[in-house]
Amino acid sequence: ERPSWDHAGVLYAIRGKGPWFELVEGGHQVVADDGSTTWTAGAIPGRQQAYLRKIVKKEVLKKVFEDLMTQGRSTRSKE
């Protein structure tokens, strides 16, 4: 199974970190010559970098994603 970072980003954008994630701040991402990345402690002035760390089992997030993607459209009337 592939990680669903896009899904996680959208979930965070619409619902916040909720019970699923913690926001890790106070560092910055370093990109190596081979394209790999690492998180390094210590913020860089003028940059606000952070990442989400999953704090629930992947099965929990999988169910949240599936429920959101399969729920029906709103039945509210259009006025």
Side-chain angles (χ1 to χ4, degrees), residues 7-24:
H7 295 98
V10 170
L11 179 60
Y12 176 71
I14 61 172
R15 299 273 169 91
K17 62 184 178 177
W20 314 289
F21 306 105
E22 67 179 346
L23 187 64
V24 179

Side-chain angles (χ1 to χ4, degrees), residues 17-49:
K17 62 184 178 177
W20 314 289
F21 306 105
E22 67 179 346
L23 187 64
V24 179
E25 301 176 282
H28 62 280
Q29 188 176 52
V30 176
V31 181
D33 291 338
D34 66 0
S36 62
T37 60
T38 56
W39 183 257
T40 303
I44 296 176
R47 291 188 181 173
Q48 294 182 344
Q49 295 186 2

Side-chain angles (χ1 to χ4, degrees), residues 2-78:
R2 286 183 49 152
S4 298
W5 305 122
D6 290 344
H7 295 98
V10 170
L11 179 60
Y12 176 71
I14 61 172
R15 299 273 169 91
K17 62 184 178 177
W20 314 289
F21 306 105
E22 67 179 346
L23 187 64
V24 179
E25 301 176 282
H28 62 280
Q29 188 176 52
V30 176
V31 181
D33 291 338
D34 66 0
S36 62
T37 60
T38 56
W39 183 257
T40 303
I44 296 176
R47 291 188 181 173
Q48 294 182 344
Q49 295 186 2
Y51 71 93
L52 294 175
R53 178 182 296 146
K54 176 177 62 78
I55 57 174
V56 296
K57 293 183 178 187
K58 68 179 180 180
E59 292 78 20
V60 172
L61 278 178
K62 184 177 178 180
K63 175 137 178 46
V64 171
F65 298 153
E66 287 177 353
D67 289 349
L68 287 170
M69 289 188 286
T70 59
Q71 63 181 281
R73 291 178 51 168
S74 173
T75 57
R76 289 184 280 174
S77 63
K78 296 180 182 177

